[in-house]
Amino acid sequence: MKILIKNGIVVEPIKKLTDKMDILIEENKITRMAEEIEITEDMQVVDASEKHIFPGLVDIHVHLREPGYEHKETIYSGTRAAAKGGFTSICCMPNTDPVADNSSVIRFIQHRAADEGVVKVFPIGAISKKLEGQEISEIGMLAEAGVVALSDDGNTVMNSGVMRRAMEYATPWNLPFISHCEDQNLVDNGMVNEGYASLMTGLPVYPKAAEETIIARDIALAELTGAKLHIAHLTTKGGVELVRQAKAKGLPVTAEVTPHHLALSEEDVLSFDTSYKVNPPLRSKEDVTALIEGLQDGTIDIIATDHAPHAYEEKMVEFIYAPFGIAGIETALPVIYTYLVKDGKLSLLEMVEKMSSKPAEILGLPVSKLSEGENADLIIVDLDRELEVEIKDLVSKGKNNPFIGQRLTGWPVMTMVNGKVVYQRSGFNASN
Ligand code: DOR
């Protein structure tokens, strides 16, 4: 059966196009796009009037937790949460148990994703064995198994010599390094921004310098080795400036910011609600402004969720004992739309670009394009729909989402991967 999506407003960042168009899908491909496509009997019609159509979103920073932490998330639940959030491709971080530092774990994830996943899953391999920062992983084998990047996310490779050798060793495969920038000696057991948040709560400090020293180091190492460097979850004004300078020098450095670091600030942790406990921590309002400016001027290339689900009971403890992480993949798009686009801080095209084509480009993933002949990875979004985020609606196993209780606008109503509907919001009538 062919699928005809009628009357939607197509937002295509590569062609810089926002236009009302019908889209015809046959098998897994977009076969026609035109102002008006006539309905025939062999078509299932999806009425997208007053809705927008985006290329499928791409999230290059997701924790799927499988293997090893299936009580927090699985490939089954995590890919469904991604589909609900409008993501058609996701990259998963290697801090699983066992760690994804060898080809068997990578192949396990790929098989599991093929069997149980509903969106495309691209694994990221560990830089160091067991994420211990001592011995380099078998990078060649990881590359052969199909990893799209290397990262010790959750940890920093603290030994600069090891990081340098890993970057040099990885040169033949040209794999990007995604750096979790945290000087562990400076952080120690710190958990909130050093400043207003630490002063008001008395909780141990996580200084901005801990992030900035490693950003500066890794930029220097990227310059030395020629490795592609991607800075994960940037949070500080100083960090934005370091990336800006690296780009001005022409270095192969890119950066991401999360929806929560753009929408929230250190003042939120004064509630002691563990949903706000995240690594790196929520920063000052001044930092948030700098992050938004960085996003606007292109210093920060993309938005990535760092979807970090934890079990309910793990987070339902005192702030000091709770694990770090926010599970935000289902609310990323409405958070960005509500906080940035509706406020005029980012255009619709910029938002879509920074959440689809740009992240795919950074890791060399297939880019989902709204164009004839392309794979039908797309989403239909209701930009007028305002909904309260409710815990009962979250399909991720991680309910550690600080936006619960907030009213957000701009929700996906349908997600399609390779022409197949993998998510449809109840109430969105696809068969009229
Ligand atoms: O808050 C975080 N949680 N930050 C990270 O870098 C890792 C993540 C996790 O794995 O829970």
Side-chain angles (χ1 to χ4, degrees):
M1 191 81 159
K2 298 174 186 173
I3 301 178
L4 178 62
I5 306 177
K6 264 204 114 33
N7 296 323
I9 302 160
V10 171
V11 181
E12 169 46 69
I14 295 174
K15 289 192 252 163
K16 303 262 179 273
L17 169 130
T18 307
D19 223 348
K20 193 149 168 267
M21 275 210 228
D22 292 350
I23 301 181
L24 182 64
I25 295 155
E26 294 176 69
E27 305 284 335
N28 56 337
K29 301 260 188 237
I30 297 174
T31 51
R32 249 192 98 199
M33 286 178 69
E35 215 174 294
E36 173 92 54
I37 300 176
E38 213 176 297
I39 302 173
T40 56
E41 267 178 12
D42 57 347
M43 290 177 186
Q44 182 199 340
V45 180
V46 177
D47 179 11
S49 307
E50 267 136 67
K51 310 277 187 302
H52 284 71
I53 303 171
F54 300 164
L57 304 182
V58 177
D59 190 354
I60 68 166
H61 194 146
V62 178
H63 297 272
L64 286 176
R65 307 295 193 205
E66 197 176 346
Y69 302 106
E70 290 82 356
H71 62 295
K72 295 175 192 269
E73 192 78 288
T74 58
I75 289 169
Y76 181 97
S77 62
T79 58
R80 278 160 182 77
K84 181 160 168 278
F87 293 88
T88 56
S89 291
I90 58 176
C91 302
C92 56
M93 284 296 175
N95 58 342
T96 48
D97 184 15
V99 169
D101 59 7
N102 63 79
S103 53
S104 327
V105 178
I106 298 299
R107 295 221 159 87
F108 169 83
I109 294 167
Q110 290 162 333
H111 285 141
R112 202 60 156 190
D115 289 348
E116 305 207 332
V118 292
V119 303
K120 297 174 185 174
V121 175
F122 299 91
I124 294 167
I127 300 170
S128 71
K129 289 191 181 161
K130 296 188 183 164
L131 305 176
E132 283 172 351
Q134 303 296 327
E135 222 183 310
I136 301 170
S137 309
E138 295 291 353
I139 292 175
M141 291 200 210
L142 288 171
E144 226 168 78
V147 301
V148 292
L150 297 167
S151 181
D152 270 10
D153 186 58
N155 288 336
T156 296
V157 178
M158 280 305 298
N159 184 322
S160 310
V162 173
M163 188 67 169
R164 174 197 175 153
R165 281 195 296 282
M167 284 179 159
E168 283 174 342
Y169 186 80
T171 311
W173 300 280
N174 205 20
L175 285 169
F177 280 72
I178 302 180
S179 184
H180 171 109
C181 298
E182 171 188 354
D183 185 317
Q184 284 158 2
N185 303 310
L186 271 177
V187 172
D188 200 4
N189 285 316
M191 54 190 74
V192 298
N193 187 42
E194 180 164 11
Y196 185 70
S198 60
L199 195 70
M200 296 304 285
T201 61
L203 290 166
V205 302
Y206 188 134
K208 296 176 199 184
E211 181 168 331
E212 291 156 4
T213 45
I214 301 296
I215 295 177
R217 180 201 75 172
D218 284 354
I219 289 172
L221 291 179
E223 186 169 16
L224 179 69
T225 63
K228 276 192 213 153
L229 175 67
H230 177 75
I231 306 294
H233 40 50
L234 196 55
T235 69
T236 75
K237 185 178 175 185
V240 176
E241 195 42 44
L242 287 165
V243 173
R244 191 173 282 128
Q245 286 164 10
K247 287 195 166 185
K249 274 172 114 180
L251 297 175
V253 176
T254 53
E256 72 188 32
V257 62
T258 70
H260 46 269
H261 289 113
L262 289 166
L264 308 172
S265 74
E266 62 178 337
E267 289 173 26
D268 292 300
V269 305
L270 268 51
S271 65
F272 286 89
D273 178 342
T274 61
S275 295
Y276 295 103
K277 183 171 176 183
V278 67
N279 182 0
L282 300 173
R283 299 293 188 186
S284 70
K285 292 242 162 84
E286 194 192 357
D287 292 302
V288 174
T289 303
L291 292 172
I292 295 171
E293 282 166 9
L295 205 54
Q296 289 166 334
D297 71 12
T299 302
I300 301 180
D301 304 81
I302 65 161
I303 296 162
T305 68
D306 190 7
H307 177 73
H310 292 290
Y312 189 72
E313 61 277 14
E314 290 171 325
K315 277 287 203 180
M316 281 299 128
V317 293
E318 290 85 341
F319 199 93
I320 206 153
Y321 300 121
F324 290 97
I326 286 177
I329 204 162
E330 289 168 72
T331 48
L333 181 64
V335 165
I336 298 300
Y337 186 72
T338 307
Y339 280 88
L340 298 186
V341 180
K342 270 181 79 181
D343 261 13
K345 294 186 177 114
L346 212 58
S347 74
L348 195 61
L349 263 174
E350 284 168 333
M351 172 183 80
V352 177
E353 181 185 39
K354 286 173 189 295
M355 295 180 82
S356 67
S357 52
K358 268 275 161 72
E361 210 179 280
I362 287 173
L363 296 196
L365 311 178
V367 178
S368 31
K369 266 189 246 131
L370 296 177
S371 229
E372 290 178 1
E374 295 291 332
N375 275 344
D377 287 2
L378 56 84
I379 61 174
I380 305 178
V381 184
D382 188 345
L383 290 181
D384 299 319
R385 190 175 190 126
E386 190 192 270
L387 282 177
E388 183 179 326
V389 182
E390 289 191 71
I391 196 165
K392 70 171 175 48
D393 295 330
L394 298 174
V395 304
S396 167
K397 285 192 176 188
K399 311 301 176 193
N400 46 312
N401 183 321
F403 298 98
I404 291 170
Q406 286 199 27
R407 294 190 75 78
L408 300 175
T409 309
W411 292 87
V413 292
M414 183 182 267
T415 302
M416 217 180 248
V417 176
N418 285 337
K420 190 168 162 248
V421 176
V422 293
Y423 166 72
Q424 187 175 330
R425 189 160 199 110
S426 62
F428 177 62
N429 187 0
S431 54
N432 50 8

